[in-house]
Amino acid sequence: MENLVDSPSWLDKEFFTTVIKSHASNQNPELLDFIIKPSLALGDHVVSTMFRVDLKFSTTQQAENLLSVVIKIPPGGDSAVEPIDSSPLYDCEQDMYNGP
């Protein structure tokens, strides 16, 4: 397991095990490895902080699977993003991703 960026401590094996269990729920998935990378080529974040994570896992049906996910974290802890924190922008964006 490798972290190529400064990411929150909760982005860990336990978190990504939950992700793959949700993704491949009926196949008894097991996390083998993960790599956390910047989501953008330059590592620039726009409103939210984003990471791309490559997950390697096994299932009862296949010895090795690869899944690439983007983790998007709401802004916070920086006075430059306080106006964004107080607006409904991030919640609205999440609603768009989640759909009806």
Side-chain angles (χ1 to χ4, degrees):
M1 285 141 215
E2 189 174 1
N3 188 351
L4 302 178
V5 294
D6 184 25
S7 64
S9 61
W10 54 266
L11 289 179
D12 59 10
K13 184 175 182 173
E14 182 180 344
F15 178 82
F16 293 121
T17 297
T18 302
V19 170
I20 62 165
K21 284 184 177 181
S22 176
H23 175 72
S25 60
N26 62 344
Q27 301 173 34
N28 297 320
E30 179 184 345
L31 182 64
L32 303 173
D33 195 15
F34 66 88
I35 298 173
I36 302 173
K37 308 181 278 191
S39 65
L40 303 171
L42 300 175
D44 293 333
H45 303 293
V46 184
V47 172
S48 302
T49 303
M50 298 189 309
F51 303 100
R52 178 167 299 280
V53 182
D54 294 331
L55 304 169
K56 187 188 325 181
F57 64 99
S58 65
T59 65
T60 53
Q61 298 172 340
Q62 195 170 0
E64 188 172 299
N65 297 272
L66 298 174
L67 177 65
S68 182
V69 297
V70 173
I71 305 293
K72 185 174 178 78
I73 301 170
D78 185 339
S79 60
V81 295
E82 285 177 15
I84 295 166
D85 284 343
S86 62
S87 80
L89 179 64
Y90 188 81
D91 291 335
C92 179
E93 184 182 44
Q94 284 304 106
D95 288 344
M96 289 180 359
Y97 288 134
N98 292 333

